Amino acid sequence: MKETPLSNCERRFLLRAIEEKKRLDGRQTYDYRNIRISFGTDYGCCIVELGKTRVLGQVSCELVSPKLNRATEGILFFNLELSQMAAPAFEPGRQSDLLVKLNRLMERCLRNSKCIDTESLCVVAGEKVWQIRVDLHLLNHDGNIIDAASIAAIVALCHFRRPDVSVQGDEVTLYTPEERDPVPLSIHHMPICVSFAFFQQGAYLLVDPNEREERVMDGLLVIAMNKHREICTIQSSGGIMLLKDQVLRCSKIAGVKVAEITELILKALENDQKVRKEGGKFGFAESIANQRITAFKMEKAPIDTSDVEEKAEEIIAEAEPPSEVVSTPVLWTPGTAQIGEGVENSWGDLEDSEKEDDEGGGDQAIILDGIKMDTGVEVSDIGSQDAPIILSDSEEEEMIILEPDKNPKKIRTQTTSAKQEKAPSKKPVKRRKKKRAAN
Amino acid sequence: MAGLELLSDQGYRVDGRRAGELRKIQARMGVFAQADGSAYIEQGNTKALAVVYGPHEIRGSRARALPDRALVNCQYSSATFSTGERKRRPHGDRKSCEMGLQLRQTFEAAILTQLHPRSQIDIYVLQADGGTYAACVNAATLAVLDAGIPMRDFVCACSAGFVDGTALADLSHVEEAAGGPQLALALLPASGQIALLEMDARLHEDHLERVLEAAAQAARDVHTLLDRVVRQHVREASILLGD
């Protein structure tokens, strides 16, 4: 499916909100969404959820012959796939640009930074080395795939255990997990990507953009760092022009964020380790929250009804009787009559209240008496200013002005005074001047 | 290679340059008659050739036409004989795709695409020698200028590295292969804006500023050179026209 385009309204809304330092989900400019890490039953399998973006990472290993120019080093292979379930726009043939970009970024971040000791993956130099393959699948796309994918990759690598191997002279023995416990990989450091989205030609920046923000951004800067504040990768993409101090500032922010995320990862790994050791339940099934809707069962919430009767009586006593609505038909011309008035048009509230509204008709008015409602609507009488022009036969002469911000509906009132006033509050209080049409 | 010093005690690099020195750059514009614009650049041993077609009508699907801007299409191709070992696939592999995307991003920002709506500008770069992104960008800039396509400013690129506490400018192949941090920077010299920034391998955050500064300075030096080349080319062309 083609991606549904973002409407101009939404784009403008998002950009204006960003200019006012507001984000749709209420985060601050430098805040990350909630990160949840859960592990599967096998070693090396994990799911990372960054807000709603979900990435599954799986590490596997195989004994292969090494590359010719690097005979003593193991091989690392990364593959990120954008699964079709992640977003409707992801189709088997269509995603090449984004896919290439993400894959290259993952490769550079994890391979070139030498986070894994590849020499330790060598079994027999020149003949047999371990090939570690990291497969990442994007399960749900809600923005910022890169960060989630990098966290998933590094967590999966840290969690993974490879089978133990021993070399005696010419003999190489590969032990199964039952014979000897699998061995973890030797990881030097954990590079984590932090994404910065730029808006309005670099004037505003946001950390961890979600999907909507990504659609309106001008460009993206990705900085991969580890907790020792070493930068592993910087990549700027999109059409933005950066300045040197922007880059330096982003790297400082990235340092802080990476420290937090690394702590979270270590804690998650530790928890999982503990659960496995204690023999508790682990795996994806356990980490998916139990959200069950029990039908035909409603929790009874106890309510105190002891003084309800008294309260009801009070309310009834204080309320005044409802007003009588008098409406006599008005004859405009032979054949055209009008009974009653509609509710006053409240669009005029937004305009300048100095403008006098000449409404062509309506001497008949429905007048609301001052009903004191418990909602606390205040009602004020307007004292007559100039000579009040009383037009109708109705007995009710009081005019009620309802403050626009408390009660949006105004009933057209009988005209007494001419001018409209401007109330001191932000929204003007309107009074309409009614000219009497020809009888 | 063990024992190879990237930076000697006297401050000389493997090829005898100082830390901030660029390699010798030679460039020519207008090497191909058929193309709208073309350029050839040699940066040390790295040779890059760039060809520009456009602005012309969108080829292929009309649906890709942008109503207010031109479409910039870049393709990067690395010759099979360019690296130490013969490469099997000159284009279509991930690295070439990525390079093409990065070039496109750089030039989309620099070319005034608003002046040519509904058209397409193609930039093809052929690189001989496992050199760097910088030579490609410099060649492409000259080719775009040769084609007469309006740009905001020159786009000058240079790479930089970091060894022993010193920032090195314009890395050669040997220095790149040594595996230290490498930064590739594409700059618009007049405003100092960075069109593309790419870095690999570990570099401590405190050194980032120095390396950025070295790369920026080197890019400005490249700009002086390219400027001279362009003026020379224009002078030659006007002499031929008999002005």
Side-chain angles (χ1 to χ4, degrees):
Chain A
M1 259 173 56
K2 231 182 151 178
E3 205 175 64
T4 47
L6 198 63
S7 63
N8 285 339
C9 278
E10 208 173 347
R11 185 181 294 266
R12 246 179 287 137
F13 175 72
L14 282 163
L15 288 174
R16 278 283 295 277
I18 290 167
E19 280 171 31
E20 297 175 11
K21 312 266 191 205
K22 295 199 179 110
R23 294 175 86 160
L24 281 191
D25 42 12
R27 286 186 278 155
Q28 298 292 318
T29 323
Y30 300 145
D31 278 354
Y32 255 84
R33 290 172 280 181
N34 279 336
I35 303 179
R36 257 194 89 221
I37 302 176
S38 45
F39 296 95
T41 31
D42 288 337
Y43 279 114
C45 185
C46 74
I47 289 188
V48 170
E49 292 173 50
L50 176 64
K52 293 217 188 103
T53 303
R54 213 187 272 215
V55 178
L56 166 75
Q58 172 78 55
V59 178
S60 50
C61 66
E62 203 187 3
L63 275 174
V64 295
S65 20
K67 285 197 185 139
L68 293 171
N69 52 353
R70 294 201 197 274
T72 52
E73 289 184 14
I75 304 175
L76 267 177
F77 184 69
F78 296 96
N79 188 30
L80 170 69
E81 282 195 24
L82 304 173
S83 158
Q84 277 80 55
M85 69 174 94
F90 292 158
E91 268 175 32
R94 220 183 247 268
Q95 340 142 350
S96 43
D97 271 3
L98 181 62
L99 199 61
V100 166
K101 203 174 74 141
L102 291 172
N103 269 297
R104 282 292 302 152
L105 194 55
M106 290 306 310
E107 266 183 39
R108 282 168 47 212
C109 169
L110 291 164
R111 190 187 294 159
N112 294 2
S113 65
K114 304 221 183 3
C115 62
I116 305 239
D117 183 12
T118 40
E119 300 240 348
S120 69
L121 298 174
C122 178
V123 175
V124 178
E127 284 179 32
K128 285 279 177 221
V129 295
W130 284 111
Q131 178 187 45
I132 305 286
R133 189 193 162 103
V134 183
D135 283 297
L136 300 163
H137 287 260
L138 180 70
L139 300 177
N140 191 32
H141 178 31
D142 196 29
N144 206 3
I145 304 174
I146 299 172
D147 288 14
S150 78
I151 298 176
I154 204 67
V155 166
L157 283 167
C158 288
H159 193 242
F160 180 63
R161 306 274 182 271
R162 63 168 173 82
D164 198 5
V165 176
S166 73
V167 182
Q168 263 127 359
D170 269 343
E171 266 201 35
V172 177
T173 332
L174 178 65
Y175 296 105
T176 60
E178 288 84 27
E179 292 171 11
R180 269 208 209 173
D181 272 345
V183 165
L185 299 173
S186 78
I187 297 181
H188 292 312
H189 63 103
M190 305 208 283
I192 294 177
C193 294
V194 178
S195 303
F196 297 88
F198 286 90
F199 303 86
Q200 311 284 43
Q201 269 78 48
Y204 302 97
L205 88 74
L206 289 180
V207 173
D208 188 20
N210 68 14
E211 207 250 331
R212 294 282 132 182
E213 291 163 352
E214 271 187 1
R215 295 243 219 160
V216 297
M217 73 179 174
D218 284 339
L220 192 71
L221 176 69
V222 179
I223 299 185
M225 276 176 92
N226 61 24
K227 69 169 186 208
H228 308 292
R229 297 190 48 235
E230 291 173 333
I231 300 178
C232 304
T233 303
I234 298 184
Q235 168 97 40
S236 77
S237 60
I240 32 152
M241 297 292 195
L242 296 170
L243 293 170
K244 198 174 71 153
D245 46 328
Q246 279 178 324
V247 178
L248 293 171
R249 199 159 33 112
C250 287
S251 71
K252 288 201 182 42
I253 299 169
V256 173
K257 292 292 156 195
V258 165
E260 290 170 11
I261 298 177
T262 314
E263 225 183 270
L264 181 76
I265 294 178
L266 291 172
K267 227 189 320 182
L269 284 165
E270 212 183 281
N271 278 347
D272 181 73
Q273 189 66 11
K274 206 166 33 154
V275 169
R276 278 177 207 257
K277 217 191 290 199
E278 289 167 6
K281 290 202 189 148
F282 50 87
F284 288 134
E286 290 308 311
S287 29
I288 296 174
N290 243 348
Q291 291 164 351
R292 260 186 260 130
I293 300 174
T294 41
F296 311 116
K297 194 170 148 191
M298 241 174 49
E299 277 185 19
K300 299 204 171 120
I303 298 176
D304 184 16
T305 55
S306 45
D307 56 345
V308 162
E309 266 193 49
E310 293 157 3
K311 278 202 188 145
E313 281 175 15
E314 276 174 31
I315 296 170
I316 296 171
E318 283 172 25
E320 292 176 20
S323 64
E324 269 189 36
V325 173
V326 178
S327 72
T328 44
V330 174
L331 189 68
W332 295 114
T333 61
T336 308
Q338 180 180 345
I339 302 178
E341 292 276 336
V343 174
E344 185 174 271
N345 185 352
S346 62
W347 282 15
D349 287 352
L350 304 170
E351 297 163 12
D352 201 343
S353 66
E354 288 304 310
K355 220 187 326 164
E356 272 180 49
D357 240 275
D358 257 39
E359 263 157 54
D363 351 81
Q364 219 36 34
I366 302 169
I367 296 173
L368 251 196
D369 212 337
I371 290 187
K372 291 208 179 65
M373 293 186 277
D374 274 343
T375 55
V377 170
E378 270 171 78
V379 143
S380 58
D381 285 352
I382 294 191
S384 53
Q385 288 166 357
D386 309 335
I389 310 162
I390 295 160
L391 299 171
S392 106
D393 312 324
S394 161
E395 280 148 21
E396 324 265 28
E397 302 256 34
E398 254 180 15
M399 194 159 60
I400 279 84
I401 301 260
L402 300 173
E403 304 287 318
D405 40 3
K406 284 181 198 148
N407 195 334
K409 284 213 167 60
K410 272 208 302 262
I411 314 295
R412 246 179 239 158
T413 59
Q414 195 171 24
T415 60
T416 49
S417 73
K419 294 226 192 78
Q420 294 167 337
E421 341 177 298
K422 218 179 195 165
S425 65
K426 245 203 273 182
K427 272 202 179 161
V429 175
K430 284 268 185 74
R431 231 194 298 168
R432 303 212 175 253
K433 167 183 176 177
K434 306 275 185 281
K435 283 216 185 101
R436 203 201 182 154
N439 263 46
Chain B
M1 287 185 266
L4 190 65
E5 271 187 329
L6 289 179
L7 192 67
S8 77
D9 300 325
Q10 289 87 27
Y12 290 107
R13 289 150 76 169
V14 178
D15 46 4
R17 287 185 283 153
R18 289 239 166 237
E21 252 182 78
L22 300 174
R23 292 175 287 177
K24 179 167 186 193
I25 299 183
Q26 289 178 308
R28 282 201 69 73
M29 292 166 66
V31 283
F32 290 132
Q34 294 281 10
D36 292 334
S38 54
Y40 170 74
I41 196 169
E42 265 185 39
Q43 221 170 313
N45 277 330
T46 304
K47 301 162 177 57
L49 197 57
V51 162
V52 171
Y53 292 97
H56 57 80
E57 212 169 309
I58 302 263
R59 304 248 172 79
S61 70
R62 280 301 130 78
R64 288 197 305 148
L66 298 165
D68 58 340
R69 288 185 283 134
L71 199 72
V72 177
N73 180 32
C74 290
Q75 207 177 25
Y76 165 84
S77 187
S78 183
T80 47
F81 46 81
S82 55
T83 43
E85 263 180 43
R86 193 182 172 86
K87 270 174 68 132
R88 267 168 298 146
R89 270 172 59 132
H91 49 74
D93 63 330
R94 270 188 197 164
K95 247 184 159 165
S96 316
C97 276
E98 191 201 15
M99 191 70 94
L101 285 175
Q102 286 177 345
L103 283 172
R104 174 175 172 200
Q105 168 200 328
T106 315
F107 281 96
E108 243 175 26
I111 296 178
L112 296 171
T113 44
Q114 272 85 4
L115 296 177
H116 301 282
R118 285 183 232 279
S119 60
Q120 182 178 340
I121 299 172
D122 298 315
I123 304 178
Y124 296 112
V125 181
L126 171 70
Q127 171 102 344
D129 191 6
T132 63
Y133 158 83
C136 291
V137 170
N138 295 332
T141 303
L142 288 178
V144 170
L145 286 172
D146 189 37
I149 296 173
M151 285 213 288
R152 243 173 227 127
D153 194 357
F154 276 76
V155 184
C156 304
C158 196
S159 55
F162 193 77
V163 169
D164 287 346
T166 328
L168 307 175
D170 197 9
L171 301 173
S172 65
H173 180 65
V174 172
E175 288 161 343
E176 273 184 9
Q182 306 159 25
L183 181 90
L185 180 76
L187 189 71
L188 270 64
S191 49
Q193 289 175 323
I194 300 172
L196 184 123
L197 176 62
E198 203 188 41
M199 207 199 79
D200 280 339
R202 288 193 289 174
L203 177 71
H204 197 273
E205 193 192 336
D206 300 336
H207 306 309
L208 179 63
E209 183 167 6
R210 253 186 294 169
V211 179
L212 269 179
E213 188 48 50
Q217 184 55 42
R220 280 188 278 262
D221 295 337
V222 171
H223 167 64
T224 331
L225 274 157
L226 292 185
D227 190 73
R228 205 184 305 157
V229 168
V230 174
R231 284 178 205 274
Q232 178 68 23
H233 177 75
V234 171
R235 207 173 300 136
E236 283 174 13
S238 57
I239 289 173
L240 285 174
L241 287 172
D243 258 342

